[in-house]
Amino acid sequence: MKTAQRSSAYFLLAGTVLGFLGCVFLGYQTANYSKPKNFKRFYQRLSLDGQFFPPFPMQEHLALARWSPGKIIVLVGGDSVMHGIGQPEERIWTHELQKRLGERRYVVVNLALRGANAAEGGALVAEALIKQGFPVIYVANARPGSPPPAYDGAYRYIYWDAFYKGRLLPFPEREADVAAWISRLRPDERRKVEELALAERFDSLLRFQSLWHHVTYRHFSATWNSIVLPRWWEPRIRFTDPEPEPPPLEYRYRASEEEMMRIARGYTEGLARAGKDGVWVVDRGALEALSRAIPRVFPAPLRTRMLLILHHSSPHYLAKLSPAELRRDATVYESFVRQWNLSGVRTFELGNDFDEIDYADRVHLSPSGGSKMAQRVAREVEALAATELFKTTEGGK
Amino acid sequence: MKLLEKVKSLLSGRAASLLIGIAIGVLLHYMFYRIFLPVQPFIYVAF
């Protein structure tokens, strides 16, 4: 009897090891191919709102899904403006960008994430692809000011995910900054970051993110979430992108005017001071901080393959700024665009010559605004693709 | 006959142990995924 019990215990233990290692094996397998079907963008139910944290390997597969030798990957990162909030899936601006660039030489992939900064998500995927020798042009957006780093935002998990899987370019400046940043954090914040880093370290060995995100997407969801109620258990593949058309113009700008104006002013307020004769002088410290930050946030090979858009608020709000505030906006944007360009990143302003109808709200573009953005970005992509950097893509990687 | 039944019960006991073990292993792997999912809703982190 005792022998039988002992033998059952051994079988139980063997089964546990087998089950766990089987999952690790499947995790490695799914990490090699798992990605959302007919991907257009990471809509709400495929993003952090819906407890879905697209693993780094999944984002890399998406970037490469339609690529073939000789093509340039135009990888879109940045925030909800680039993601295409305000544009329904079938009228998303990246679709228009692909049409303008054509299928022969370009593959456009939208990996922008709501609330992300230019250094998060898409930038890290672009970095990983550059490291592997793929021809990539990275397009993102920002506003005047210094770019926040990839390890300090809502999507910081992507940095640690890519870092521990060895996907990133060698970048000692960033690693030194990460160490210094962690040492400056409050103990509770530091504990959170260390836990996250530990999780991603484990995941680089055990691949639980790849496997269970694949299961959540394809088979069933085991994470309760208010965004996917009442069908929270259903696989995410069954949910569609819910982004609606923007409302008619007369219903479009209904948010608190005072709050929206505060945000619109905040883009350049504090970055310049009024000089003599109404001339605005841009804060030298802010420009110096920007020139110091750029080479510490974006590695050199990415900077030369990058297009940055400094976007404006809707003319609906800009029209309500005073003439002096408008002059300040113009001076600050011009100075920041110049500084980004001096630091090796092709940068341009967008939105200051758009119409009210081109925006869906204070900051997001409507389908007509998206179309204008696609037109401008296509021109810049083609100019960058014509440089020496991309000469070798014809016929090869 | 008795021997056959004994072997059967032994084998089914072992198979059950193995299956339960596999289920525990799968659950452990899933636990890693769940434990490291952030508790704080995204909206409070990003905005």
Side-chain angles (χ1 to χ4, degrees):
Chain A
M1 194 64 188
K2 264 190 178 174
T3 318
Q5 277 177 354
R6 193 180 298 164
S7 146
S8 286
Y10 285 141
F11 272 80
L12 187 75
L13 190 65
T16 306
V17 173
L18 198 68
F20 191 82
L21 291 181
C23 285
V24 173
F25 174 74
L26 289 175
Y28 275 90
Q29 293 297 308
T30 50
N32 285 334
Y33 67 81
S34 180
K35 62 180 188 310
K37 204 177 156 191
N38 299 326
F39 179 80
K40 304 280 189 313
R41 61 181 161 189
F42 284 119
Y43 53 87
Q44 212 180 18
R45 288 162 177 91
L46 282 189
S47 65
L48 273 58
D49 305 58
Q51 289 283 71
F52 194 89
F53 293 69
F56 196 76
M58 181 185 275
Q59 298 196 39
E60 271 188 295
H61 294 317
L62 286 170
L64 290 172
R66 293 184 294 116
W67 180 83
S68 58
K71 288 188 178 183
I72 295 172
I73 303 158
V74 180
L75 199 58
V76 175
D79 65 16
S80 50
V81 174
M82 308 302 276
H83 174 87
I85 295 286
Q87 301 146 33
E89 192 187 54
E90 65 279 8
R91 296 177 74 194
I92 188 171
W93 80 277
T94 38
H95 184 59
E96 168 92 11
L97 178 63
Q98 179 71 73
K99 273 209 293 195
R100 285 184 175 275
L101 290 170
E103 303 272 348
R104 198 186 66 81
R105 204 178 166 213
Y106 299 96
V107 181
V108 179
V109 186
N110 188 339
L111 296 183
L113 297 156
R114 292 167 62 241
N117 65 53
E120 288 178 303
L124 300 171
V125 177
E127 200 180 313
L129 298 185
I130 291 167
K131 187 182 177 186
Q132 296 165 69
F134 289 101
V136 178
I137 292 177
Y138 174 60
V139 188
N141 69 325
R143 42 190 258 192
S146 290
Y151 50 84
D152 187 19
Y155 295 91
R156 57 175 70 157
Y157 84 93
I158 302 174
Y159 169 75
W160 295 105
D161 193 0
F163 178 77
Y164 282 117
K165 291 191 174 88
R167 313 304 292 166
L168 302 179
L169 288 164
F171 196 7
E173 293 88 345
R174 179 169 58 198
E175 283 165 36
D177 285 352
V178 171
W181 170 72
I182 291 177
S183 70
R184 285 196 306 270
L185 289 174
R186 288 199 322 262
D188 56 327
E189 273 295 313
R190 189 183 310 159
R191 191 173 49 78
K192 278 187 202 163
V193 172
E194 283 168 353
E195 269 177 22
L196 177 63
L198 183 69
E200 297 301 349
R201 197 171 212 163
F202 272 126
D203 187 58
S204 68
L205 296 170
L206 306 174
R207 302 289 167 144
F208 44 88
Q209 296 290 2
S210 285
L211 176 62
W212 294 105
H213 275 93
H214 177 76
V215 170
T216 301
Y217 180 73
R218 289 272 167 184
H219 305 292
F220 64 88
S221 168
T223 48
W224 183 93
N225 187 274
S226 59
I227 298 288
V228 285
L229 278 177
R231 301 181 295 147
W232 62 268
W233 63 86
E234 287 195 19
R236 300 298 164 91
I237 193 171
R238 291 201 196 149
F239 292 91
T240 51
D241 187 335
E243 188 63 31
E245 285 280 348
L249 196 56
E250 60 268 32
Y251 298 107
R252 209 170 280 186
Y253 296 101
R254 289 289 175 98
S256 154
E257 187 92 352
E258 194 186 341
E259 176 66 7
M260 293 300 110
M261 286 304 295
R262 191 185 62 75
I263 299 172
R265 281 194 184 93
Y267 273 31
T268 57
E269 212 168 32
L271 291 175
R273 60 182 169 75
K276 284 177 189 165
D277 309 323
V279 174
W280 287 91
V281 180
V282 177
D283 179 34
R284 188 183 286 271
L287 284 175
E288 282 171 4
L290 175 66
S291 70
R292 276 196 308 273
I294 293 169
R296 298 191 79 86
V297 170
F298 302 101
L302 181 61
R303 291 202 296 276
T304 53
R305 293 165 173 84
M306 181 172 165
L307 294 175
L308 190 86
I309 299 167
L310 288 191
H311 66 260
H312 284 267
S313 293
S314 165
H316 177 85
Y317 298 104
L318 295 186
K320 294 184 171 89
L321 293 176
S322 68
E325 286 172 326
L326 282 171
R327 283 200 303 279
R328 182 188 67 209
D329 256 23
T331 312
V332 168
Y333 270 84
E334 192 191 326
S335 301
F336 276 80
V337 165
R338 194 184 315 121
Q339 188 56 59
W340 274 96
N341 279 298
L342 282 172
S343 302
V345 178
R346 280 174 176 250
T347 304
F348 56 93
E349 281 178 65
L350 193 97
N352 49 341
D353 56 348
F354 283 15
D355 301 314
E356 255 188 340
I357 194 89
D358 296 327
Y359 279 79
D361 55 33
R362 184 194 60 78
V363 68
H364 302 111
L365 299 175
S366 64
S368 66
S371 178
K372 287 183 178 176
M373 175 154 76
Q375 192 178 345
R376 178 70 198 272
V377 171
R379 218 164 55 223
E380 299 288 340
V381 165
E382 280 167 342
L384 183 53
T387 61
E388 281 299 316
L389 270 175
F390 294 94
K391 281 282 189 281
T392 53
T393 58
E394 293 291 345
K397 251 192 184 180
Chain B
M1 199 62 186
K2 266 189 174 175
L3 184 71
L4 192 68
E5 274 175 18
K6 206 172 173 181
V7 170
K8 260 189 185 171
S9 99
L10 197 68
L11 283 180
S12 64
R14 283 175 178 177
S17 299
L18 190 72
L19 287 176
I20 293 169
I22 288 173
I24 293 171
V26 171
L27 195 69
L28 270 176
H29 195 261
Y30 172 75
M31 289 302 287
F32 270 95
Y33 158 72
R34 278 312 297 262
I35 285 169
F36 289 123
L37 278 184
V39 178
Q40 197 175 20
F42 163 71
I43 200 81
Y44 298 120
V45 183
F47 302 102

